[in-house]
Amino acid sequence: MRARVVRVALVAATVALVLLAVPLAVAVRYAFFADEGGELERDAMAAVVRVGPDFTAGDPVELRAVRPDEGLALYDAAGRLRSGSGPARGGAAVTRALAGGVARSRSGGELVVAVPVSSGERVIGAIRASTGAGTVWTRVLWGWAVLLGLCLVALGAAVGVARRQASVLAAPLEALAGTSLAVAGGDLTARAEQSTIAEIDEVARAHNTMVDRLAQLLEHERHFTANASHQLRTSLAGLQLGLEAALDDPDADQRAALAEAAERSRHLDHTIEEVLRLARSGAGMLASGQEQPAGDVLAAADRRWHGAFAEDGRRLTTIWEPQAGRLPVPGRTVEQIADILLDNAQRHGRGTVTVTLRDLGTAFALDVADEGSAGLDPRVIFERGVGEGSGIGLALARQLADAAGGRLSLASTAPTRFTLLLPLHAGG
């Protein structure tokens, strides 16, 4: 780009200089010839003063040239040379001067000026002043050489300015190209800097907006993958443990095991659907989903998790009043949050786990508590990657709560108690 800008500026400057220099060259030529003609006319006028009327009677007249390359000659009324340096016959210029006017002409490589000599009101002769046109052309060529030198200096200055401007224009574009390559290489934190050129700044802003959007999309995809992996792993582990337990126990009720597996499969389907709904919603609210009685949601959670806690020698207790159990809640969202909180309590908590459902009038509260203590700052416990595990579960639970119009918080650290607040009839 730099070379292209310099070429464009060079062409523009050359055209401008040609358009300016050609008329100036013509003006220089005209001015030098006009100036030389004026000099010859002044010298001829000065010679006329020294010519008396008696030269027609044969009196000698002495003419002295002012400049060494100049010729002066006196002609009588018949156009014959009487004195000085010149041709025997005066020529056209002298003929016009004898008619009573100053005449200028160029002939035979000479610049000629003829001035009439008058006595009284009668023209009695003419003074012819001449010089070689080559002398004038030498001056013209020197003038043209100076003009050409000035044009070259101007062209050099134009090239210098063009190179500087090319650097000013190219630098932000090169920086933008470098930023684009960095983004293509995987650095989504790279951003184009602002410059002093409005058009390039507009491109940089559009580029940064594109990268921001791309980073958001990639982050969204990463979160979706992590969320799906986390939730499906938990559901599949429960399904696998139930089936393996039924296979290992020859006295197990196979029908009950299959019923439990079918329920866990339905829950797995709900998990997939909820993760997909969350991914489609982005940072917005979750679309309205099917509502279920809160008691049914907690009863299903108790069935899924009771065996897992029992294997660890721990108790799982669910508590709700009949009125609270009939509250309509976004079932699939609440069951996903409950699963995450119960999974967190199993992995990181201690002792009995208590799930409590409370009716707050315009909202309901779901508490999941255990007898352990949270070792993380409540301000960062819901951030991704924080904690001993994958750092996904609690972040996903809060994201689900926010998307449903609710709020999930760590209400107590010793003992650990998480509380989900969700408005009634908010949609799931």
Side-chain angles (χ1 to χ4, degrees):
M1 178 180 176
R2 295 173 187 264
R4 183 174 298 178
V5 171
V6 172
R7 284 198 301 270
V8 170
L10 185 59
V11 170
T14 301
V15 171
L17 288 174
V18 168
L19 293 176
L20 179 64
V22 169
L24 282 178
V26 174
V28 166
R29 174 186 174 281
Y30 175 81
F32 280 148
F33 273 95
D35 181 66
E36 186 63 26
E39 289 288 337
L40 291 175
E41 185 175 342
R42 284 191 292 273
D43 293 344
M45 288 292 186
V48 168
V49 175
R50 294 195 293 270
V51 177
D54 296 335
F55 87 91
T56 56
D59 288 347
V61 176
E62 184 178 354
L63 298 176
R64 293 182 179 177
V66 177
R67 294 172 295 173
D69 57 348
E70 183 182 17
L72 286 176
L74 173 62
Y75 292 84
D76 59 19
R80 296 186 298 268
L81 178 65
R82 297 294 300 273
S83 178
S85 174
R89 304 296 297 183
V94 171
T95 301
R96 290 197 300 271
L98 292 174
V102 176
R104 296 187 182 188
S105 68
R106 272 190 286 174
S107 63
E110 285 187 321
L111 184 61
V112 179
V113 175
V115 177
V117 178
S118 303
S119 178
E121 296 181 357
R122 185 170 61 92
V123 177
I124 60 175
I127 294 293
R128 179 184 184 274
S130 64
T131 187
T135 303
V136 182
W137 274 111
T138 300
R139 294 169 58 195
V140 170
L141 292 176
W142 275 109
W144 285 356
V146 172
L147 180 61
L148 178 61
L150 293 175
C151 289
L152 292 176
V153 170
L155 196 59
V159 171
V161 172
R163 289 175 65 88
R164 180 175 178 81
Q165 288 301 111
S167 298
V168 172
L169 289 172
L173 290 177
E174 291 169 351
L176 180 59
T179 302
S180 299
L181 290 175
V183 172
D187 182 9
L188 296 181
T189 63
R191 294 295 183 273
E193 297 181 356
Q194 299 294 303
S195 66
T196 58
I197 303 171
E199 292 79 4
I200 297 179
D201 287 346
E202 185 175 354
V203 175
R205 285 191 293 270
H207 176 274
N208 290 342
T209 301
M210 177 194 69
V211 175
D212 289 338
R213 179 58 178 161
L214 179 62
Q216 291 174 2
L217 290 174
L218 291 177
E219 185 72 12
H220 186 68
E221 292 298 323
R222 283 196 293 266
H223 286 176
F224 167 73
T225 303
N227 294 342
S229 174
H230 181 275
Q231 292 301 89
L232 294 179
R233 184 183 298 113
T234 301
S235 299
L236 286 173
L239 177 60
Q240 182 178 4
L241 288 174
L243 293 174
E244 288 178 351
L247 290 174
D248 293 339
D249 185 2
D251 298 329
D253 186 348
Q254 300 297 324
R255 185 177 181 84
L258 290 176
E260 181 182 357
E263 183 178 353
R264 288 186 177 275
S265 296
R266 284 192 295 272
H267 178 68
L268 180 61
D269 180 67
H270 295 168
T271 298
I272 295 173
E273 183 176 343
E274 194 66 15
V275 171
L276 287 174
R277 289 176 64 232
L278 181 63
R280 295 190 194 103
S281 69
M285 298 288 291
L286 278 174
S288 177
Q290 182 179 3
E291 292 187 342
Q292 297 176 248
D296 292 350
V297 175
L298 291 191
D302 182 79
R303 289 193 298 270
R304 287 193 303 274
W305 288 95
H306 185 83
F309 281 101
E311 288 182 1
D312 294 341
R314 299 171 62 186
R315 292 180 56 193
L316 172 62
T317 304
T318 55
I319 304 173
W320 69 84
E321 297 177 356
Q323 181 179 354
R326 291 190 294 270
L327 293 174
V329 298
R332 294 180 181 178
T333 299
V334 174
E335 74 178 12
Q336 293 300 315
I337 297 175
D339 280 350
I340 292 172
L341 295 179
L342 289 171
D343 179 68
N344 182 75
Q346 183 191 22
R347 293 173 183 271
H348 308 293
R350 292 189 303 170
T352 300
V353 177
T354 304
V355 180
T356 306
L357 177 65
R358 294 179 288 139
D359 182 3
L360 302 180
T362 59
F364 78 90
L366 178 67
D367 300 315
V368 178
D370 62 63
E371 298 175 352
S373 60
L376 293 175
D377 189 334
R379 292 172 296 182
V380 301
I381 197 170
F382 294 102
E383 294 182 5
R384 285 182 179 267
V386 174
E388 298 177 358
S390 63
I392 296 174
L394 292 178
L396 174 59
R398 169 162 280 189
Q399 186 180 0
L400 285 166
D402 292 343
R407 182 173 181 271
L408 177 64
S409 62
L410 177 61
S412 173
T413 57
T416 302
R417 179 165 57 89
F418 290 92
T419 298
L420 169 66
L421 295 175
L422 198 64
L424 293 174
H425 308 294

